[in-house]
Amino acid sequence: MSELIHSETPSPNWNQRQLPISMVVLHYTGMETAEAALERLCDPAAEVSAHYCIEEDGTVHRLVREDRRAWHAGKSFWRGITDVNSASIGIELVNPGHEFGYRPFPDAQMAALLPLLADMVERHDIPRANVVGHSDIAPARKEDPGELFDWELLGAHRLALRRPRLLVPSPYENDGAFFLALERFGYDISDTAAACRAFQRRWRPHRIDGVVDGECSAILFGLLLDRDTGKTR
């Protein structure tokens, strides 16, 4: 593990976990520079942190030890868990985000993420379905890591779920049935439009309109079918 870390950059922003680790949450920093992001993540007044931060050149900073509860998720929910900070490892990817000129994540950054993520997924036995984005766990508040993040690359390395290949005619009778299925998959559906946009951002990034359609329904059905047949470990 130590060979994957380039810099120990300790943050004081943590407390004790209340749950075992079962998730990884990926973020973008959403700030103009890496220096500004690291400064904020280590500022006690900011009360925000993550376990790791990866710069665009691939430099990996460890901010908080994994056995500690970093403050990265905020108010969030995934598969019945409301204290996501206690159950997860948070990884920040340096990127200006939608506010400051959102751009693709460089190859060097993704190349640093893959072994780091593979190591923690193996050590903590984290299911691929629980490697999620900030927007998945907080759909009404967050957009990161966003539609330009290469989830398919993670899926190809069996570090996250891939978009299902099985596409069938719309399997849900109405929008209500879709949202019940979306909740079953793991999302907070208290704001249905936001939940739909978050789902699209992750699974159908070429069109994010918050409208339930046949393509979204088929993707969700495929995800649930894969999970029910044991293909999502």
Side-chain angles (χ1 to χ4, degrees), residues 148-174:
L148 298 180
F149 183 74
D150 194 352
W151 286 105
E152 284 298 295
L153 176 64
L154 269 58
H157 287 268
R158 296 187 61 79
L159 297 175
L161 294 183
R162 303 191 77 166
R163 174 175 163 159
R165 303 301 180 199
L166 174 65
L167 297 179
V168 298
S170 183
Y172 302 112
E173 295 182 358
N174 50 49

Side-chain angles (χ1 to χ4, degrees), residues 24-99:
V24 176
V25 181
L26 302 178
H27 309 254
Y28 64 43
T29 54
M31 301 187 73
E32 293 180 272
T33 66
E35 293 75 18
L38 286 165
E39 181 178 357
R40 177 171 172 77
L41 290 166
C42 295
D43 179 2
E47 297 187 341
V48 64
S49 60
H51 294 90
Y52 301 96
C53 181
I54 306 178
E55 297 192 48
E56 290 184 299
D57 66 0
T59 300
V60 178
H61 300 262
R62 176 159 47 196
L63 286 74
V64 176
R65 285 181 2 203
E66 288 181 16
D67 62 342
R68 296 171 173 174
R69 180 180 181 271
W71 305 338
H72 60 96
K75 184 179 180 181
S76 50
F77 174 93
W78 186 250
R79 296 187 167 177
I81 294 175
T82 54
D83 184 1
V84 173
N85 280 334
S86 274
S88 66
I89 296 171
I91 303 176
E92 291 276 358
L93 300 164
V94 171
N95 186 292
H98 293 83
E99 185 176 355

Side-chain angles (χ1 to χ4, degrees), residues 4 8 20-21 34 42 46-47 61 65 90 92 98 106 109 153 163 170 182 201 204 212 221 228 232:
L4 303 176
E8 297 286 352
I21 295 169
C42 295
E47 297 187 341
H61 300 262
R65 285 181 2 203
E92 291 276 358
H98 293 83
Q109 191 175 41
L153 176 64
R163 174 175 163 159
S170 183
L182 190 61
R201 184 169 281 109
R204 208 270 304 274
V212 177
F221 181 80
D228 291 347
T232 60

Side-chain angles (χ1 to χ4, degrees), residues 169-175 177-178 181-182 184 216-218 220-222 224:
S170 183
Y172 302 112
E173 295 182 358
N174 50 49
D175 287 3
F178 172 86
L182 190 61
R184 180 176 163 229
C216 292
S217 296
L220 178 58
F221 181 80
L224 285 167

